Amino acid sequence: MRKTVAIVGRPNVGKSALFNRLAGMNISIVHDLAGVTRDRITAECRRGPQVFNIMDTGGIGANTEDVLTEQVQVEAAIALDVADLLLFVVDVTAGITTIDQSLAQMLRRTNKPVILVANKSDSEKRRLGSGEFAKIGFGDAAEVSAVHGYGIDDLVDSIVEKLELTEEETEEAREERLSARPLKLAIVGRPNAGKSSLVNAIMGQERAIVSDLPGTTRDSLDVHCTYNGKHYQLIDTAGIRKQAKVEDAVEIFSIQRSYAAIKRADLCLLVIDCAEGAKMQDRKIAQLIVEERKPCILVMNKFDLFHPHAQQKDRLEELAETMRREFFFLSYAPLVATSAKNNDNVGKLFVQIERVRKGAQGRIGTGVLNRLMHETIENTPGPLGRSPQTFKLLYVTQVNETEDVSIPVPHFVMFANRAAKMTDGYLRFLESVIRKEWPAPGVPFRMSVRGKQPKEKKR
């Protein structure tokens, strides 16, 4: 979960030089719109004990000497939502300008930690001028010369201290730690779909009570198991019935515990009696999983009773077609046909579980993501149209998870003008485009659009 450091400041203070110095290479920054950085604006900085991302936000206030322009709002929105730390770069040779003062006020409103960087401090005389910037209100400035490399090590030390970075965990160590942590699997569905039978099939023993009577399981049953050397925590839940059919307080409590199991799970296994076919209640439970943004696998149980006399290939094709139609809003969820009673395809279920876990660990590159979204919107504008008064994408990023979770759910944040013009349907279309590049099976995507802040009225 890498931290991101955004470099902000007015034009010609040396932000790009500082960006390249921290990145350890010369990276061309592309500005397709004045004041807005689009492609390749992020890079890795490996100078500290832990790798962190750096982002060049482009020049702020390029068209005026007195007030902040519209582009400031774009840059502020990006920094506010993406950055963990802001490097506020000023030019010691120019002194404090009105744009520096206005930008300082804006950065204070973000409530983000700020390091003031006095660039071009390449002589003793110039370094004396850095004291003037203390009146901006961010403490003593870090004196650097990005071009000559002066003060960069001290600046990195300050960044490390502000972000509380420690020695970075290796990818192998992280994978080992996460695999040692039991993956919590909530087994949910309506009554008598075969949830407890599935638990018993996985365990190879009668750990859960199985009965033909619906409602046998009253409470969520947590069972720890190991399968193919990996640790899991199975959460067998009570069947979730229609509200009108809930008869007593005990059953109400059982259903509440089932809801809680969905919330605390890493991955939900929605068990459906495919012999009976998908019911309205199955779709309602699926909708609960979607609302909680939980990764999901659709387990088509009792497959041995689904057109048993037909060819297996035809049975699988018909089942997949039917379930994709019934659960169109879970199109990203893998399908597994099982017979828990006969212990059929339990191994295939765990293959899919690990496929979901592994697929969620990576992330799509920021440059790739921005090129993909800009090309898609340009080539397929859809209901947005092509007039200058319609939606215009400025920047898109994948936000890191705040928690170190086993199956992280990616959040794609788009920064745009006229964000209100983006429809839910078009967002789903953009999600499908991302999935072609990065499938992440079983994992829901969170898509959101942020618009520029409205201009402040002059007094």
Side-chain angles (χ1 to χ4, degrees), residues 389-435:
Q389 299 303 313
T390 55
F391 175 90
K392 183 70 175 180
L393 179 66
L394 301 169
Y395 176 75
V396 57
T397 186
Q398 179 181 339
V399 179
N400 289 337
E401 284 281 346
T402 56
E403 297 180 61
D404 192 8
V405 294
S406 298
I407 304 180
V409 173
H411 180 192
F412 297 100
V413 182
M414 301 182 188
F415 297 91
N417 65 344
R418 301 180 180 88
K421 290 184 174 290
M422 175 68 79
T423 64
D424 290 340
Y426 197 70
L427 267 181
R428 287 193 294 271
F429 164 68
L430 294 180
E431 177 183 342
S432 69
V433 172
I434 296 175
R435 283 193 183 277

Side-chain angles (χ1 to χ4, degrees), residues 270-331:
L270 176 54
V271 182
I272 299 163
D273 183 345
C274 64
E276 283 192 6
K279 305 294 184 182
M280 178 63 73
Q281 188 64 8
D282 292 315
R283 290 188 289 272
K284 286 184 177 179
I285 298 170
Q287 194 60 47
L288 285 174
I289 296 171
V290 171
E291 289 172 0
E292 291 296 327
R293 294 195 181 96
K294 291 295 180 178
C296 180
I297 293 175
L298 296 176
V299 182
M300 309 291 105
N301 196 32
K302 304 186 184 180
F303 181 62
D304 54 316
L305 304 179
F306 180 79
H307 302 305
H309 301 298
Q311 293 291 326
Q312 178 155 318
K313 180 181 178 183
D314 296 335
R315 295 165 65 206
L316 286 170
E317 288 179 355
E318 182 179 347
L319 180 61
E321 182 181 347
T322 301
M323 292 305 166
R324 286 301 178 207
R325 183 174 63 250
E326 295 288 347
F327 298 94
F328 63 90
F329 52 92
L330 272 174
S331 59

Side-chain angles (χ1 to χ4, degrees), residues 60-294:
I60 291 181
N63 300 326
T64 178
E65 287 296 322
D66 300 311
V67 295
L68 298 176
T69 57
E70 268 191 45
Q71 59 196 342
V72 173
Q73 304 299 336
V74 177
E75 303 295 350
I78 295 172
L80 180 64
D81 283 77
V82 177
D84 301 290
L85 173 68
L86 304 175
L87 299 185
F88 180 16
V89 184
V90 294
D91 181 352
V92 295
T93 66
I96 300 175
T97 68
T98 55
I99 299 178
D100 290 329
Q101 293 173 330
S102 298
L103 182 54
Q105 293 178 1
M106 184 193 73
L107 296 182
R108 275 192 287 272
R109 290 195 294 269
T110 67
N111 293 320
K112 298 272 183 169
V114 176
I115 295 178
L116 182 64
V117 181
N119 193 29
K120 306 183 184 180
S121 298
D122 48 11
S123 69
E124 189 64 34
K125 180 179 180 182
R126 288 186 173 184
R127 285 193 283 276
L128 290 174
S130 67
E132 173 190 2
F133 291 90
K135 65 178 69 174
I136 290 181
F138 295 112
D140 293 336
E143 299 170 347
V144 306
S145 173
V147 171
H148 299 96
Y150 171 81
I152 299 299
D153 289 340
D154 291 338
L155 175 60
V156 171
D157 289 342
S158 297
I159 293 172
V160 169
E161 182 180 353
K162 286 279 189 182
L163 294 179
E164 299 180 350
L165 300 179
T166 56
E167 197 66 36
E168 188 170 22
E169 183 181 34
T170 64
E171 188 63 29
E172 293 79 7
R174 180 177 182 273
E175 287 183 3
E176 183 177 347
R177 176 172 55 80
L178 289 178
S179 63
R181 178 194 302 171
L183 188 70
K184 295 189 287 292
L185 306 175
I187 302 175
V188 298
R190 55 188 176 87
N192 214 28
K195 300 182 296 299
S196 296
S197 296
L198 181 61
V199 172
N200 291 336
I202 293 170
M203 297 297 297
Q205 55 183 304
E206 297 292 323
R207 289 298 301 268
I209 299 173
V210 178
S211 169
D212 290 334
L213 296 175
T216 304
T217 303
R218 285 293 197 178
D219 202 356
S220 296
L221 174 67
D222 283 29
V223 181
H224 289 265
C225 74
T226 301
Y227 201 94
N228 288 336
K230 297 187 181 296
H231 303 292
Y232 303 93
Q233 180 178 337
L234 310 178
I235 310 172
D236 183 19
T237 63
I240 303 175
R241 295 208 287 172
K242 291 182 181 179
Q243 196 76 25
K245 292 187 177 182
V246 176
E247 298 174 351
D248 56 42
V250 174
E251 189 169 1
I252 292 174
F253 176 74
S254 298
I255 292 174
Q256 289 174 344
R257 292 294 297 271
S258 296
Y259 291 158
I262 292 175
K263 289 177 180 290
R264 66 187 174 98
D266 296 314
L267 173 63
C268 292
L269 306 182
L270 176 54
V271 182
I272 299 163
D273 183 345
C274 64
E276 283 192 6
K279 305 294 184 182
M280 178 63 73
Q281 188 64 8
D282 292 315
R283 290 188 289 272
K284 286 184 177 179
I285 298 170
Q287 194 60 47
L288 285 174
I289 296 171
V290 171
E291 289 172 0
E292 291 296 327
R293 294 195 181 96
K294 291 295 180 178

